[in-house]
Amino acid sequence: MKIPEAISLLEKSIESTLSKSELKDKMKLVSVFKELETKDFTAKQSLLLEEQLTLLFEGKELNYKNVKESKKAFYSFLHSKLFLVYEGYWKVVGAFLGSAVGFIGLTLVMSSLEPYSNNFVTPLITMAIGFVIGAIMDASVEKQGRTIRTWP
């Protein structure tokens, strides 16, 4: 199934949707598909994408449960197979890892050096360092065209 077919299938099912959360999920998928139409994929990536869309939508009723499962599986596919990430992904990862390293360092300092036990700035500094490294990685990924603006 090609991306325009998936978009038209979802847009037709939106008309009969009653639930707000189901409507939100379908609209989010439509916007992701529209964004994917603008991306330049290799022939192999395009084939993988079409196979995934066929696997997710063909022959299935587009009710809330199926759309929710399809959305989750599709985002996982985008991340693992096409290596696409949402904007700011590496900033979040960097900040999290930086603060984790900072808290571990703080714990070690508190357990070994009693006079420096009030140093709660360490996690903030390492979180900021992780955030900066993540921002650099985000800029690199965006330059390569591997970001998606619409993500859950």
Side-chain angles (χ1 to χ4, degrees):
M1 175 181 290
K2 296 200 180 290
I3 294 175
E5 293 172 24
I7 291 172
S8 66
L9 182 70
L10 280 170
E11 286 177 340
K12 286 178 187 174
S13 71
I14 285 174
E15 297 168 1
S16 63
T17 302
L18 299 175
S19 167
K20 285 184 181 180
S21 55
E22 183 179 357
L23 181 65
K24 184 179 172 184
D25 285 342
K26 288 179 181 180
M27 294 295 287
K28 201 170 270 196
L29 272 176
V30 167
S31 62
V32 168
F33 291 157
K34 286 182 179 179
E35 189 173 347
L36 287 176
E37 277 185 313
T38 64
K39 298 277 183 198
D40 292 327
F41 293 116
T42 64
K44 185 177 179 181
Q45 288 175 327
S46 295
L47 186 61
L48 275 172
L49 185 60
E50 289 174 11
E51 288 175 0
Q52 184 68 20
L53 289 174
T54 302
L55 179 72
L56 290 177
F57 293 112
E58 203 159 280
K60 290 185 180 178
E61 183 182 330
L62 291 177
N63 59 21
Y64 181 67
K65 183 180 177 190
N66 287 341
V67 169
K68 195 91 168 153
E69 290 172 1
S70 295
K71 186 178 93 166
K72 186 176 180 181
F74 190 69
Y75 285 139
S76 175
F77 164 78
L78 289 178
H79 187 69
S80 64
K81 300 289 185 195
L82 298 182
F83 307 108
L84 296 173
V85 294
Y86 60 88
E87 285 185 332
Y89 174 80
W90 289 110
K91 289 177 193 170
V92 172
V93 170
F96 176 75
L97 291 176
S99 61
V101 168
F103 280 116
I104 291 170
L106 179 66
T107 305
L108 292 174
V109 166
M110 287 178 71
S111 65
S112 61
L113 303 172
E114 197 59 40
Y116 300 105
S117 63
N118 292 332
N119 187 7
F120 289 104
V121 177
T122 305
L124 295 176
I125 292 171
T126 56
M127 183 176 72
I129 291 169
F131 186 82
V132 168
I133 292 170
I136 292 167
M137 291 180 70
D138 272 338
S140 169
V141 168
E142 191 166 341
K143 207 179 284 184
Q144 296 170 3
R146 294 187 309 146
T147 58
I148 292 184
R149 298 189 193 298
T150 309
W151 206 268

